[in-house]
Amino acid sequence: MADSQPRILILGAPGAGKGTQSARMADHFDIEHVTTGDALRANKDMDISDMDTEYDTPREYMDQGELVPDAVVNAIVEEALRQADGFVLDGYPRNLEQAEELEGMTDLNVVLQLEVGEDELVHRLTGRRMDPETGDIYHLEYNPPADEEVEERLVQRDDDTEETVKERLRVYRESTEPVIEHYEEEGVLETVDGEQSPDEVWADVKGTIEDAA
């Protein structure tokens, strides 16, 4: 790995543990953790006036509460990857078109999928609770607060109810399954069992990256 930092794509449904594992990768391999949200926020004043879009900057879409068009997201991700020596990309590509765009932007060393069953994902996501005073996120089973006072004021976010979670997972599968199949057909997809403990998942993730690089 001495010659260059790894370029990693991580895929997985909401609740699969991408954030936790990406943070460990970024720290261990000294690479950037690139998420679409962070890249958008970092480049929201980027000049996109030459792109024949409704607005001249991503900020205007965000301020209007509108979805930033794919072409703009692609340009922002490309810029974020260009600036990074090595990276773990998380939250992109969300569809096949973006996966094809990504191929023109960079050569990936590893495409990782964290595989977690539907029931476990629902269990993880519906068990999440937020402290309305601090914004801290807990889990009733995996990460309860030590302080009883905090426990009493925890609330469930609207997007963590069972109905919403199942809809989020359905949308994820519909748009991202083709992306996973695409990398499988290319013979580059590495699958890690995401239902293990975070430390066991990390051991597999780290080993997979080291083998590939």
Side-chain angles (χ1 to χ4, degrees):
M1 200 90 64
D3 53 343
S4 69
Q5 316 303 102
R7 296 178 301 279
I8 306 156
L9 169 63
I10 188 165
L11 299 165
K18 294 193 304 294
T20 303
Q21 296 302 327
S22 295
R24 291 182 85 156
M25 284 183 240
D27 189 46
H28 181 82
F29 293 107
D30 192 23
I31 53 177
E32 298 281 333
H33 179 195
V34 178
T35 72
T36 331
D38 288 347
L40 270 171
R41 283 186 286 276
N43 294 285
K44 55 180 181 271
D45 293 314
M46 183 171 154
D47 180 7
I48 53 169
S49 55
D50 60 332
M51 287 179 71
D52 192 29
T53 47
E54 188 181 350
Y55 300 117
D56 292 340
T57 63
R59 180 193 289 274
E60 291 164 88
Y61 284 97
M62 293 154 88
D63 288 349
Q64 297 296 325
E66 291 181 31
L67 270 181
V68 180
D70 259 14
V72 178
V73 174
N74 294 342
I76 281 173
V77 168
E78 184 164 20
E79 179 61 19
L81 299 186
R82 198 180 58 74
Q83 290 172 10
D85 199 12
F87 57 80
V88 51
L89 179 58
D90 169 7
Y92 180 101
R94 286 187 188 273
N95 54 46
L96 212 43
E97 291 75 21
Q98 289 183 346
E100 282 156 9
E101 284 287 331
L102 182 59
E103 270 160 37
M105 293 179 201
T106 186
D107 292 322
L108 296 165
N109 298 118
V110 192
V111 180
L112 268 179
Q113 179 198 9
L114 295 182
E115 195 163 54
V116 179
E118 181 101 6
D119 290 348
E120 175 62 16
L121 291 169
V122 171
H123 179 67
R124 286 182 186 183
L125 292 166
T126 54
R128 289 201 305 197
R129 295 291 184 272
M130 185 180 77
D131 180 345
E133 287 186 20
T134 63
D136 290 340
I137 301 288
Y138 295 93
H139 193 283
L140 296 179
E141 185 179 333
Y142 305 126
N143 177 30
D147 186 336
E148 263 182 48
E149 206 176 304
V150 173
E151 193 166 0
E152 281 168 17
R153 64 174 185 244
L154 293 182
V155 295
Q156 186 178 43
R157 297 190 312 190
D158 291 345
D159 59 352
D160 288 338
T161 62
E162 186 162 346
E163 195 181 334
T164 315
V165 161
K166 286 189 167 166
E167 176 59 14
R168 280 167 68 199
L169 293 176
R170 186 193 66 75
V171 169
Y172 168 79
R173 298 214 189 285
E174 200 173 274
S175 59
T176 315
E177 285 290 312
V179 174
I180 288 167
E181 281 166 19
H182 166 74
Y183 288 117
E184 244 171 351
E185 282 163 16
E186 300 265 305
V188 295
L189 187 72
E190 300 284 353
T191 299
V192 168
D193 176 3
E195 294 200 19
Q196 310 173 91
S197 75
D199 285 347
E200 289 169 325
V201 174
W202 168 240
D204 284 358
V205 163
K206 182 167 162 284
T208 302
I209 295 165
E210 284 168 348
D211 288 350

